[in-house]
Amino acid sequence: MKTSLSVILFTLTASVLSTTAFADECALSIEANDMMQFSKKSLSAPASCKEISVTLKHNGKLPVTTMGHNWVLSKAADVQAVATDGMSAGANNSYVKPGDSRVYAASKVIGGGEQTTVTFSTAQMKAGEDYRFFCSFPGHFAIMQGSFTLN
Ligand SMILES: [Cu+2]
């Protein structure tokens, strides 16, 4: 009786721990500031993540209208076109063309002191592909970008 109870407890503990580890690996975070910079040049997650969440925190003080930042994910080859179309789409569309199929994830645009989280499916993504994350606020993508990989 005692043995089976400890086996059950061990199994429960192990499953809780593995669930926690999995969730953490699929939850990423990055910061941005008033100097038009992201805090990281690269982000990655295990290819086993069915969904990934990215939390963007704006550590600056400037308002969203002058130093807004968002977190947008596309293939490296699509960054420029997505950003250009995003600029045309304007602030009301968070600087991303509505329904843009080249975009895997896009957060809302935030100003200094704000934080936002975007959760996206990896169903259309694959390990080894050259993805990039960037800010699509007008004029920012050239500086505010980094690599994103599924491992
Ligand atoms: Cu920005």
Side-chain angles (χ1 to χ4, degrees):
M1 193 61 183
K2 262 186 180 167
T3 311
S4 65
L5 184 61
S6 62
V7 167
I8 289 169
L9 281 175
F10 175 79
T11 308
L12 281 174
T13 308
S15 72
V16 167
L17 285 176
S18 67
T19 305
T20 305
F22 181 78
D24 286 347
E25 287 179 323
C26 304
L28 309 174
S29 62
I30 189 166
E31 295 169 10
N33 62 23
D34 284 343
M35 307 292 285
M36 217 191 284
Q37 294 164 326
F38 278 128
S39 61
K40 293 173 182 171
K41 296 249 179 274
S42 66
L43 287 171
S44 66
S48 57
C49 296
K50 288 194 167 62
E51 280 191 335
I52 294 173
S53 68
V54 174
T55 298
L56 170 66
K57 190 178 174 199
H58 191 324
N59 287 330
K61 290 192 162 61
L62 294 172
V64 65
T65 45
T66 54
M67 189 53 72
H69 298 311
N70 64 357
W71 192 91
V72 181
L73 182 65
S74 75
K75 284 180 183 158
D78 292 331
V79 169
Q80 182 142 12
V82 169
T84 302
D85 287 350
M87 193 160 37
S88 303
N92 288 343
N93 293 305
S94 299
Y95 300 109
V96 173
K97 187 175 86 173
D100 193 330
S101 61
R102 299 165 298 187
V103 173
Y104 298 97
S107 78
K108 67 173 189 172
V109 182
I110 57 171
E114 296 181 314
Q115 176 174 314
T116 187
T117 299
V118 58
T119 300
F120 57 97
S121 165
T122 59
Q124 306 300 320
M125 300 177 70
K126 51 181 191 254
E129 179 73 60
D130 187 13
Y131 299 107
R132 287 191 84 76
F133 65 85
F134 60 97
C135 172
S136 68
F137 190 91
H140 288 197
F141 82 92
I143 296 167
M144 294 188 74
Q145 59 170 286
S147 68
F148 186 94
T149 46
L150 290 178
N151 301 312

